[in-house]
Amino acid sequence: MKFVLKTIMVIIISLATISCSDDDGPMAQVNITAQNTDFDGDVTGTGGSLRNSYPWNNPLNTVDYNMDITAASGGSFQLIMVDADGTEVLNQTLIKGQGDDSRSGVSQSGTPGEWTVQIVLNNFNGDGSFSISPGN
């Protein structure tokens, strides 16, 4: 039963576009494009902010990640990963106009199992993407 509920939750999250906005105000949105062995998505915003968390099963102890922002005129995009023991193993932020507009690499080592992927957009205006896959 637990497996069935978990599977249904993953399907719902994979198909849903999760957004935060009010009718006349800024908006921020995450669109998950894959959530299986790899975990991919797009982020967009018109000055809005959000913090969303997603479960992801990582069979290995690290992740390879890539994140970028394009055509953004402001704000930040943060990618946080927490391993199966609840230890933060990755925390990267891209800020428009400060440093690079993309980042990739390998997370710190963690415990395999169900990890949490957290996407944080802060006053984000533009678009971007991310991809995560089990590491080495």
Side-chain angles (χ1 to χ4, degrees), residues 13 31 35 51 53-55 76 80 82 91 100 106 120 125 134:
I13 290 172
N31 180 30
Q35 189 175 6
R51 178 182 293 262
S53 295
Y54 308 92
S76 65
I80 302 168
V82 176
N91 189 336
D100 296 331
V106 178
V120 181
N125 191 4

Side-chain angles (χ1 to χ4, degrees), residues 8-91:
I8 290 171
M9 186 173 84
V10 167
I11 291 170
I12 289 170
I13 290 172
S14 296
L15 297 175
T17 296
I18 300 169
S19 65
C20 175
S21 69
D22 55 43
D23 291 339
D24 299 318
M27 183 189 80
Q29 176 173 303
V30 177
N31 180 30
I32 304 302
T33 55
Q35 189 175 6
N36 43 43
T37 303
D38 293 338
F39 189 91
D40 306 315
D42 299 312
V43 297
T44 58
T46 59
S49 300
L50 64 72
R51 178 182 293 262
N52 290 340
S53 295
Y54 308 92
W56 175 62
N57 187 31
N58 182 10
L60 300 177
N61 62 356
T62 62
V63 297
D64 294 322
Y65 74 94
N66 182 45
M67 60 190 295
D68 64 76
I69 53 178
T70 57
S73 63
S76 65
F77 167 28
Q78 183 177 16
L79 175 63
I80 302 168
M81 304 233 21
V82 176
D83 73 3
D85 286 337
T87 302
E88 186 176 279
V89 295
L90 179 73
N91 189 336

